[in-house]
Amino acid sequence: MTRSWFVAGTDTEIGKTFCTAALIHTARRHGLVTLGMKPIAAGADMIAGERINEDAASLRRAGSFDPGLELLNPICLSSPIAPHIAAEEEGVAIDEARVLNAYAQLCSRADAVFVEGVGGFRVPLGPTLDTADLAVSFGLPVILVVGMRLGCINHALLTAEAIRARGLTLAGWIANQIDPHMLRFDQNVQAIETRIGAPLLGTVVFHADGNPASVEGLSIPD
């Protein structure tokens, strides 16, 4: 039986992909055949005949093997803008059935799958669909990546509330040090830890080299 999680973030550009890749490497070190999935991505370049999103490429490199972008990143939009705007401009419909079918195929080939959302937890994907709806469709326990910077306590607690309001389980959270100069870093982590009601899976210190394989100390939720 495949173990899977949905990885959400408190905002965009808070290191969600980096932490997802680090979780993949952690699971692989535990002997699990592990893949990452980026169901929807916005912003891509044509490389060797493939439309490749940078986040999807990071998850592709981190995985136990390459399942192909059709499964790993079934919906890839070209423009690096809000996905609902990019989808409208490019005439692309966000097809949940296509996404869930790709996920099912990944599960049939792996012991563990980490599904990374796009942006924050409530990013619009269309006129009536947002990332939270997508998370509900997956029905997976959620790992929340908190970008540690000024304001992160409020963002973390509000996102945790939103996750639970959708009937989802918050399996744990990661404190990701995106600002190496953040004042009172430890106190901010402690403030979130005592209020969020979910286990801290690890603190990811700032990595100047951007290598998720070098991250140590992360836990995989039960």
Side-chain angles (χ1 to χ4, degrees), residues 8 19 40 46 55 61 67 84 87 90 125 142 146 196 202 209 211:
C19 289
I40 300 164
M46 291 299 297
D55 291 349
R61 289 191 296 269
H84 73 291
E90 296 172 30
L125 300 175
V142 178
V146 178
I196 199 168
D209 64 355
N211 180 12

Side-chain angles (χ1 to χ4, degrees), residues 107-165:
C107 286
S108 71
R109 302 170 65 183
D111 301 319
V113 178
F114 291 91
V115 180
E116 184 196 343
V118 54
F121 188 64
R122 288 295 312 274
V123 170
L125 300 175
T128 60
L129 182 72
D130 65 16
T131 307
D133 297 319
L134 188 65
V136 170
S137 295
F138 277 100
L140 300 174
V142 178
I143 296 172
L144 178 62
V145 178
V146 178
M148 298 301 297
R149 61 188 177 199
L150 187 63
C152 64
I153 299 174
N154 178 63
H155 289 162
L157 299 182
L158 284 176
T159 306
E161 283 187 10
I163 290 167
R164 293 185 173 115

Side-chain angles (χ1 to χ4, degrees), residues 144 146 156-157 160 164 170 173 191-199:
L144 178 62
V146 178
L157 299 182
R164 293 185 173 115
L170 181 58
W173 69 287
I192 297 171
E193 189 173 14
T194 58
R195 292 168 173 82
I196 199 168

